[in-house]
Structure formats: C-alpha cells, structure tokens
Amino acid sequence: MVVQNGSITGNKIQGSVMSGGLDFQLTLSNGAMEIEQLLVLKANDGSYIYLRSAGTAINQNDVRMVWDFEAPNSSSYNWLNSGKYAGRRVIDSAAGTMKISVYDVSGINFTPDSTNSIKVTEPSDVPDQPWDFRKASSERKGNIFITESVSLGASQSVGASKKGSRNIIPITGGTVSGNLTAKILPAGADYQNLANPMTIDARYLWQTNDGEIIIVRNGGQFGSLVPTFEVRADSKYSYLNQKLYLSSDPGGGAGGVTITFYESIK
C-alpha cells in the first residue's frame, strides 16, 4: 500500500504523515501475515521524523507491530529515539484508511503466557524477510539489465539522530528501460544515512508496461550498491526473485538521477 497523507495526534506530538510512505503486507499460505512500514512524519514545528516498523499477525484482524523512530537529536522529540514502542495497525478497506495506535512500553515488565500472547506460525518454505539490504560478495558487473531515470522530490532532512544523520529524498516517478519497461510509481524514497561511510537505502515500486507491480530495494555504500526485487511467484518476472544484480552509483539527471542495473557475475 502507498500512503497518500495522514495526521498524528497524541499528548506529546502532533503533526502529519507525508505522502509516499510504504506499507508492505505479505500474506502467507496459512493466513498469517508479515508487515513492514516506512513512513516519514512531520511534526507541527517542522521537524521530520523517520518511522520504520515491523509486524506480524495470525490474520488481518489482529496485526501487532513494533516501531522504531529516528527523530532529530536537537529537537523536542528526541525522546522518541530511546523509547520502546508497540501497538496495532487496523485497515478500513472500504474507507481506504489505516489507523496506527502506538504505545510506549519502555516501562512495562511482563511475563509472556497463553493469556497475553499469540503464536504466529510461518510456513516452512517461506524465506526470512531481511531487515537490511543485500550486500554483494565477490561479485562483478555483467551485462546491463535495465536503466532507470528516477524523479526526486525535495529532501526531508531528519538531521543528526540516533543512527547517524538521516536524510530522506522522496521518489516521485520515472521510467525503466532495457530488459523490461516500466514506470516508477510516485512512492517510497531514498532513506540515506549520511554517517561515515554514507549509505543509501532506496525503497520504491515499478509498474511494468503490462501492469505488474515490482518491489525494488537498492542499497549500500557508493561503489557497491545492490538492488533486489520482489514480485509475484507466478509472474513472468518471477526470475527477479532469485537472480542477483548490481547497481551503478546514481548519476545526475534533470530533476533526479539515472541508475543502471547489471547482471551479477561471481
């Protein structure tokens, strides 16, 4: 799902949810679910806050999440960097809305048992979903696979936070040409960490010219960027789920960047 906009209400923070956020929901063969969210919040004083979460559920009616905030160290929201947060996500499909209830559970001590826990079972043939981007090992660039022309929006700078200096550049569109043709949807961003060494972690979506949606992630240090893909198992593009690729560094383009993906050779 792509987040269009939203609002934040609470005793200690008020603001808005920026457009372009991503909510990845993976429904497994037994009905269980895995969820990852990438959101950018803008507090009423103009501070940007990066919010990343992961969750699981036995079904869509009971989605439980944990959240991780990166707020500016110099802002009045720096307390978000040290808390522990959990809560729920509820989707109203008819209304096209999502409600996220977040609770600070830092001071709560409890012993899990059958009365306060649920067990989520993952099918044995499902690979683990990595939290970090793939890193290349003893690989070199082969044939060109595709070339992207990516349109970018204005930076949303969190600044110095608990994991370094976070800068977020929204992805607003673009095109893909080469072994497949697609448009880049206005969603996601390059979630840069400007700490030394600087890394980028771009998360976004392609829509092919025949209507398939492909989840793209391109991350790493400059000089060693690695793209990965996720697409339907029964799609003609399902080969993207298994094959390995490498990426050029972003090059300058009108209102954005150009990037080339290559087949990876061991």
Side-chain angles (χ1 to χ4, degrees):
M1 291 181 284
V2 178
V3 175
Q4 301 300 320
N5 53 62
S7 60
I8 309 161
T9 58
N11 294 332
K12 299 174 68 176
I13 181 171
Q14 295 82 39
S16 57
V17 180
M18 303 300 292
S19 64
L22 295 171
D23 181 290
F24 297 115
Q25 176 176 302
L26 178 65
T27 303
L28 306 177
S29 59
N30 64 351
M33 295 165 55
E34 297 178 353
I35 297 95
E36 181 185 6
Q37 290 179 341
L38 299 154
L39 302 174
V40 180
L41 314 180
K42 187 176 184 180
N44 281 350
D45 70 351
S47 299
Y48 287 107
I49 299 166
Y50 178 42
L51 174 57
R52 190 175 179 194
S53 63
T56 189
I58 56 173
N59 58 59
Q60 62 182 354
N61 298 318
D62 188 11
V63 178
R64 306 184 183 199
M65 309 283 292
V66 293
W67 283 272
D68 183 66
F69 293 89
E70 293 182 34
N73 291 333
S74 60
S75 74
S76 59
Y77 305 104
N78 57 11
W79 50 272
L80 287 167
N81 292 325
S82 57
K84 294 181 180 179
Y85 304 95
R88 295 180 185 271
R89 188 206 72 172
V90 177
I91 300 292
D92 184 336
S93 299
T97 60
M98 172 172 61
K99 180 179 180 181
I100 302 171
S101 301
V102 183
Y103 303 88
D104 188 344
V105 296
S106 304
I108 297 176
N109 295 311
F110 70 96
T111 301
D113 59 38
S114 59
T115 65
N116 61 20
S117 304
I118 60 170
K119 183 176 181 180
V120 180
T121 302
E122 180 182 276
S124 59
D125 60 344
V126 175
D128 291 336
Q129 292 290 308
W131 185 252
D132 293 322
F133 44 75
R134 187 180 82 83
K135 298 175 177 63
S137 176
S138 302
E139 299 172 42
R140 57 189 177 86
K141 295 173 182 175
N143 294 328
I144 292 176
F145 174 56
I146 59 90
T147 299
E148 294 182 314
S149 177
V150 187
S151 301
L152 302 173
S155 293
Q156 300 166 351
S157 177
V158 175
S161 184
K162 65 182 180 183
K163 295 180 181 177
S165 182
R166 178 71 66 184
N167 184 53
I168 299 159
I169 305 178
I171 291 173
T172 59
T175 57
V176 181
S177 59
N179 285 7
L180 63 84
T181 55
K183 63 181 179 181
I184 300 172
L185 298 180
D190 179 4
Y191 304 96
Q192 300 177 338
N193 189 326
L194 304 182
N196 189 16
M198 174 184 172
T199 57
I200 71 173
D201 189 6
R203 311 289 297 273
Y204 54 110
L205 305 172
W206 290 349
Q207 183 175 33
T208 65
N209 61 347
D210 52 355
E212 295 275 7
I213 298 296
I214 299 173
I215 299 173
V216 185
R217 185 175 192 178
N218 191 16
Q221 299 177 26
F222 280 89
S224 57
L225 299 179
V226 178
T228 54
F229 306 94
E230 186 175 341
V231 64
R232 279 190 9 249
D234 61 355
S235 165
K236 75 178 187 180
Y237 304 103
S238 61
Y239 63 89
L240 292 168
N241 293 329
Q242 285 83 37
K243 292 189 69 174
L244 301 181
Y245 299 89
L246 299 174
S247 170
S248 71
D249 292 339
V257 295
T258 57
I259 302 172
T260 300
F261 291 174
Y262 301 84
E263 296 177 353
S264 175
I265 301 174
K266 289 286 189 179

